[in-house]
Amino acid sequence: EAGVAQSPRYKIIEKRQSVAFWCNPISGHATLYWYQQILGQGPKLLIQFQNNGVVDDSQLPKDRFSAERLKGVDSTLKIQPAKLEDSAVYLCASSLDWGNSYEQYFGPGTRLTVT
Amino acid sequence: RKEVEQDPGPFNVPEGATVAFNCTYSNSASQSFFWYRQDCRKEPKLLMSVYSSGNEDGRFTAQLNRASQYISLLIRDSKLSDSATYLCVVRDSSYKLIFGSGTRLLVRP
């Protein structure tokens, strides 16, 4: 079974530039999550989708971050404009559904460096 | 106060040693508890669930003390391959996972 796919794996941008990340979850998984993991910290949930609807975006900095999952399958996360403090690994995860959120399968992540 | 607190370590132990990690959580309404493992520069993976009665999976034993809001993970007979960061995870009433910052384990030959 194919895992969660993410691209790109690495990205270096200058502050105030824009960047977008892509995620394709495990086939059949209804729930998709985006996390931000800063070095030395655990993953922090940014946004959670159930199919193509947003379940929780309470920790998403909406002035600069946006995400969508238009067809209920793959998803994109965008940052515009980026700040130095956005340097982190952005992890996408999926689970069968909301009730199975304890067992999330993570992608390899996108390592973002903002200079 | 952080919602989930862990000792960052590192815990540096020889092969064959027994090592224990602890974790505390602040929200008494938390629903369920887990340990995830994260290898260096890799993604987190579910290691095991934590039940009030305690549970064991091979060399790993997890325990929960709801009264003290405390979770533990015990690893017996440590292997080199156990070297990783162990993330304590709490699921809240809305099924959101809240991750601790992790405890780093280094097992030396």
Side-chain angles (χ1 to χ4, degrees):
Chain A
E1 179 182 85
V4 176
Q6 288 189 248
S7 68
R9 293 294 310 277
Y10 304 92
K11 190 75 178 179
I12 301 173
I13 61 172
E14 294 182 353
K15 59 184 179 183
R16 292 187 289 274
Q17 285 188 322
S18 303
V19 64
F21 312 128
W22 174 82
C23 171
N24 192 24
I26 291 174
S27 178
H29 279 196
T31 313
L32 184 148
Y33 314 81
W34 282 103
Y35 289 88
Q36 179 192 59
Q37 186 172 24
I38 293 171
L39 187 64
Q41 298 181 21
K44 183 184 87 170
L45 180 69
L46 292 175
I47 189 166
Q48 176 183 339
F49 293 94
Q50 178 72 11
N51 296 311
N52 60 350
V54 175
V55 173
D56 185 342
D57 63 357
S58 58
Q59 298 188 96
L60 187 73
K62 297 180 187 66
D63 58 333
R64 298 185 301 104
F65 286 65
S66 64
E68 59 184 16
R69 193 185 184 198
L70 292 175
K71 296 181 180 178
V73 181
D74 56 353
S75 174
T76 55
L77 175 70
K78 296 179 182 177
I79 308 175
Q80 180 180 8
K83 293 185 175 181
L84 295 176
E85 60 260 36
D86 298 333
S87 294
V89 176
Y90 290 84
L91 293 162
C92 179
S94 68
S95 64
L96 267 175
D97 57 38
W98 193 23
N100 289 93
S101 66
Y102 67 92
E103 188 166 16
Q104 296 184 19
Y105 295 85
F106 285 80
T110 297
R111 188 172 299 272
L112 174 67
T113 302
V114 182
T115 63
Chain B
R1 183 184 172 187
K2 289 183 181 177
E3 291 185 79
V4 181
E5 295 210 53
Q6 296 183 252
D7 180 342
F11 285 64
N12 192 324
V13 303
E15 270 188 293
T18 295
V19 61
F21 309 135
N22 303 320
C23 163
T24 57
Y25 61 95
S26 60
N27 186 351
S28 60
S30 298
Q31 297 285 309
S32 41
F33 310 88
F34 311 93
W35 285 99
Y36 270 67
R37 170 190 167 133
Q38 186 169 25
D39 291 330
C40 187
R41 301 179 79 87
K42 298 286 190 181
E43 69 274 18
K45 292 183 180 179
L46 177 63
L47 178 65
M48 60 195 303
S49 302
V50 187
Y51 305 120
S52 296
S53 55
N55 53 305
E56 192 174 303
D57 183 1
R59 297 181 293 107
F60 297 80
T61 301
Q63 292 205 304
L64 166 66
N65 183 323
R66 281 192 183 269
S68 301
Q69 295 181 203
Y70 169 99
I71 303 157
S72 66
L73 177 68
L74 181 79
I75 305 175
R76 289 180 299 278
D77 188 23
S78 299
K79 311 290 184 192
L80 294 176
S81 57
D82 293 335
S83 295
T85 295
Y86 291 84
L87 300 165
C88 178
V89 184
V90 170
R91 188 162 76 159
D92 69 13
S93 55
S94 63
Y95 289 178
K96 183 169 77 179
L97 295 190
I98 301 164
F99 288 79
S101 294
T103 297
R104 192 169 166 218
L105 172 66
L106 300 172
V107 181
R108 64 180 187 271

